[in-house]
Structures are given as structure tokens and as C-alpha cells.
Amino acid sequence: MLKRVRRHRRRPMSDINVVPYIDVMLVLLVIFMVTAPLITQGVKVNLPQAKAGGIPSPTVESVIITVDQFGDYYIDIGEDKHQPATERIIAERVRTVLEYKPETPILVRADKEVPYEKVLWAMVAAQYAGATNVGLITAPPLRAAP
């Protein structure tokens, strides 16, 4: 007599294998951890969008931070305007001005020979003090005589 061969059907598996998803998630986590510090660093500067001419004069008196050719900082508020100031002094004075007049524009003027890093530190000191917009003062280019 022939034996009956019984085949057992396997039931469909209803579990989802999540191991590949966890691997992808961990790779994305590492990517975001590496790139996040790069995104958050920087100094915001609002540049004028005019094609010709300068920006209009502000209606409120502005605070001007100057960086001379030697890299020394000066700020035009306080008793000792003509004495070099540190980033800390700049931050304290800008914070004091912004407490009383938050709409005061903060501007940075620098000699063209000074390294850009010195200009950047002046802008960072102003932002540390609470300035949301820091502008740069430039001179219009000299025109050659016709």
C-alpha cells in the first residue's frame, strides 16, 4: 500500500524584520550628528539688495564697531571711544545699548588690510550681546576720471 505523504503547509510569517531599518536609522543618526555642528555655526549678515547706490541712513543712531589696520577694535559708545576695546567690552556695551533701544542698528567698519577673522570676531561679539542683525560699512569704489 502506498503511504500517504502528508505535506505540512507553512503558515505565512506575519512578523516584520526590523533589523535593516534599525541599521539605516543608526547610519542616518551618525550623519546628522556629524553635520549638525556645521549647520549651526556662522554669523548672520543682512546684505542690502540694492543694485545701485547705498542703503538709506537709519532713522535711529547706530552703534559702529571699527577694526583698524592693526586689528584693534574700537566702539563709538562710552567715555573712551578712542581707546582700543576687547570683544568682551564690545559685547557689554552693545548689550547695554540694546537693552534701552533694541532697534539700534549695529554696524562693523574695518580696514581693507585687516584679516577677515578680526571682522568676524567683532560681528560675533555683537551677536553674543543680542544683536540680531549686524551690518558692514563699506566705501563706494573710486571712479576713474573720464
Side-chain angles (χ1 to χ4, degrees), residues 16 47 90 95 102-103:
I16 297 174
L47 299 176
I90 290 172
R95 183 179 298 114
E103 70 278 356

Side-chain angles (χ1 to χ4, degrees), residues 2-146:
L2 291 173
K3 274 189 168 179
R4 277 185 148 175
V5 177
R6 249 185 168 175
R7 290 189 174 174
H8 293 285
R9 286 189 157 192
R10 290 187 180 190
R11 289 174 155 195
M13 201 166 92
S14 62
D15 296 335
I16 297 174
N17 187 6
V18 294
V19 173
Y21 299 116
I22 293 172
D23 291 343
V24 170
M25 186 179 64
L26 289 175
V27 168
L28 289 174
L29 179 67
V30 169
I31 290 171
F32 289 132
M33 286 173 58
V34 169
T35 59
L38 301 175
I39 294 171
T40 57
Q41 293 178 357
V43 176
K44 291 184 181 180
V45 177
N46 287 339
L47 299 176
Q49 298 295 319
K51 290 186 178 184
I55 58 174
S57 298
T59 56
V60 180
E61 188 174 356
S62 59
V63 173
I64 298 176
I65 302 167
T66 304
V67 186
D68 70 359
Q69 64 187 10
F70 305 109
D72 294 327
Y73 299 112
Y74 299 89
I75 186 163
D76 69 340
I77 53 176
E79 295 83 28
D80 49 353
K81 296 178 186 180
H82 302 291
Q83 297 294 324
T86 63
E87 291 97 347
R88 183 171 161 224
I89 292 172
I90 290 172
E92 290 172 359
R93 291 184 185 174
V94 169
R95 183 179 298 114
T96 303
V97 169
L98 292 176
E99 283 178 7
Y100 294 104
K101 294 183 182 177
E103 70 278 356
T104 304
I106 309 299
L107 303 172
V108 177
R109 174 178 54 200
D111 189 273
K112 68 179 181 179
E113 301 298 326
V114 75
Y116 187 70
E117 183 180 25
K118 297 297 278 186
V119 178
L120 181 68
W121 281 113
M123 295 170 73
V124 167
Q127 280 191 332
Y128 179 76
T132 56
N133 295 320
V134 180
L136 296 173
I137 298 176
T138 61
L142 298 174
R143 290 183 137 184

